[in-house]
Amino acid sequence: MSITAEGWVVFLLIGLVAGFLASLIVGGGGGLIGCLVSGVIGAFVGGFLFNWFGISLGIESPLVVEIIHATVGAIVVVLLARLIA
């Protein structure tokens, strides 16, 4: 199974939105690239955490669910990065 170009664009936009929301919540910045990187990594981390703990949000829109997962993951990533640095 391969991902289409549109799928990549949506994935990157979700990461960008999640990174931006995470920077608003926990502070900091990092600009466009920083938000994108934290959001994309956060998408993987958030998806893993929600799946691991069996958390279901009960929201019907998959796009909203993915943005929430990625935002929570990006918050975790940013906070862990601050602990390490």
Side-chain angles (χ1 to χ4, degrees):
M1 184 170 107
S2 66
I3 232 172
T4 63
E6 293 87 8
W8 281 109
V9 170
V10 170
F11 177 69
L12 292 175
L13 286 175
I14 289 172
L16 185 61
V17 169
F20 175 73
L21 291 174
S23 72
L24 287 178
I25 294 169
V26 296
L32 183 67
I33 300 299
C35 287
L36 182 63
V37 170
S38 67
V40 168
I41 294 171
F44 289 107
V45 171
F48 173 78
L49 290 175
F50 276 81
N51 190 28
W52 178 266
F53 291 112
I55 299 171
S56 175
L57 300 176
I59 300 172
E60 292 185 23
S61 172
L63 182 63
V64 173
V65 170
E66 290 302 320
I67 290 173
I68 293 171
H69 286 182
T71 302
V72 170
I75 290 169
V76 170
V77 166
V78 169
L79 292 176
L80 285 175
R82 285 186 185 170
L83 286 175
I84 294 171

